[in-house]
Amino acid sequence: MPTTADRRPALAAFAEAIRESPHNLVSSRAAAELETRHIPECVALAELLPEGLTEILDVGSGGGLPGLVIAICRPDAEVHLIESTGKKADFLREVSQRLGLRTVVHNDRMEALHEGELAGRFEAVTARAVAPLERLIPWTVPFLGRTGALYAVKGERWRDEVVAAAQAFRRTATTVRGVQTAPIAAVGDAAEARLRVVIVARAGDDRPAGEDVH
């Protein structure tokens, strides 16, 4: 994994590309908080993913938070990005080419890709600010390999989402394998900020997922 110093130029170029894009990839507030909140959070997610992955899938990639950040931080893996909006998908391709990232962009809806080459393929699927778990689980589980897991970035109300997703868990035969947290570096005044990731895997996969949050 590249050091902080190694990846800093690419992360800075990525932030500049978001701000320069005419496609309103993020809100004005988010653009102002790229270096203090959004990119550091995505870096923390990339560092939390298991070592040894050869492919990672990011869904609802939007402007590349977290997909392109993961590709910058994890050059050992090929990162697939699903984005249904054409202009955003074009942005992902352009920035990936400019920065020399190992990515494959799929400009389609997640449901349309369930039966194709991506089905059952990934050990790690990531999602940040995409949808509540009750919708996210059926959208992403078809992409998981037998021992794969969904890594969903969630906020303070993650427990409510887990409860609301009970039917989705039953229908997909999945469960929460764990909830991991990680410190977020360089977040300005929010020195104690932490990333929270709900890890969803197929029922019966009881591999350790790190420290649980209760």
Side-chain angles (χ1 to χ4, degrees):
M1 188 178 298
T3 65
T4 300
D6 290 338
R7 63 198 182 203
R8 188 175 292 124
L11 292 173
F14 167 58
E16 182 179 3
I18 287 181
R19 293 192 175 103
E20 290 180 345
S21 173
H23 301 315
N24 296 318
L25 300 172
V26 298
S27 68
S28 57
R29 178 178 176 179
E33 295 178 339
L34 283 174
E35 290 87 355
T36 59
R37 177 187 172 193
H38 299 287
I39 289 177
E41 185 175 282
C42 296
V43 169
L45 174 60
E47 293 177 343
L48 180 147
L49 296 175
E51 293 294 329
L53 297 173
T54 58
E55 292 184 313
I56 298 167
L57 174 65
D58 182 59
V59 300
S61 297
L65 296 162
L68 291 187
V69 176
I70 292 173
I72 291 169
C73 296
R74 298 294 298 267
D76 53 317
E78 182 176 72
V79 180
H80 289 248
L81 311 166
I82 296 179
E83 173 51 49
S84 61
T85 302
K87 291 180 179 179
K88 292 180 180 180
D90 290 342
F91 172 83
L92 296 171
R93 294 190 184 99
E94 291 167 8
V95 175
S96 292
Q97 184 174 14
R98 188 186 315 169
L99 299 181
L101 304 179
R102 293 180 60 199
T103 65
V104 180
V105 178
H106 305 271
N107 181 201
D108 212 334
R109 295 167 56 252
M110 282 179 266
E111 302 94 315
L113 299 171
H114 284 171
E115 303 299 328
E117 62 176 335
L118 303 186
R121 177 169 172 172
F122 297 93
E123 288 301 292
V125 176
T126 59
R128 178 180 183 268
V130 176
L133 287 173
E134 61 183 321
R135 284 188 284 153
L136 189 62
I137 289 168
W139 284 348
T140 56
V141 166
F143 301 119
L144 295 179
R146 184 177 58 84
T147 59
L150 165 66
Y151 295 78
V153 177
K154 291 297 172 184
E156 295 291 339
R157 301 187 65 182
W158 66 271
R159 293 178 179 86
D160 294 338
E161 287 198 30
V162 170
V163 172
Q167 189 173 23
F169 284 119
R170 288 194 296 270
R171 287 180 174 177
T172 59
T174 56
T175 187
V176 174
R177 178 155 42 103
V179 181
Q180 283 190 315
T181 64
I184 302 173
V187 290
D189 295 334
E192 299 301 319
R194 296 184 70 83
L195 173 78
R196 180 184 294 102
V197 179
V198 177
I199 303 173
V200 176
R202 299 185 187 281
D205 181 4
D206 56 358
R207 293 177 300 164
E211 180 182 358
D212 285 355
V213 176
H214 300 285

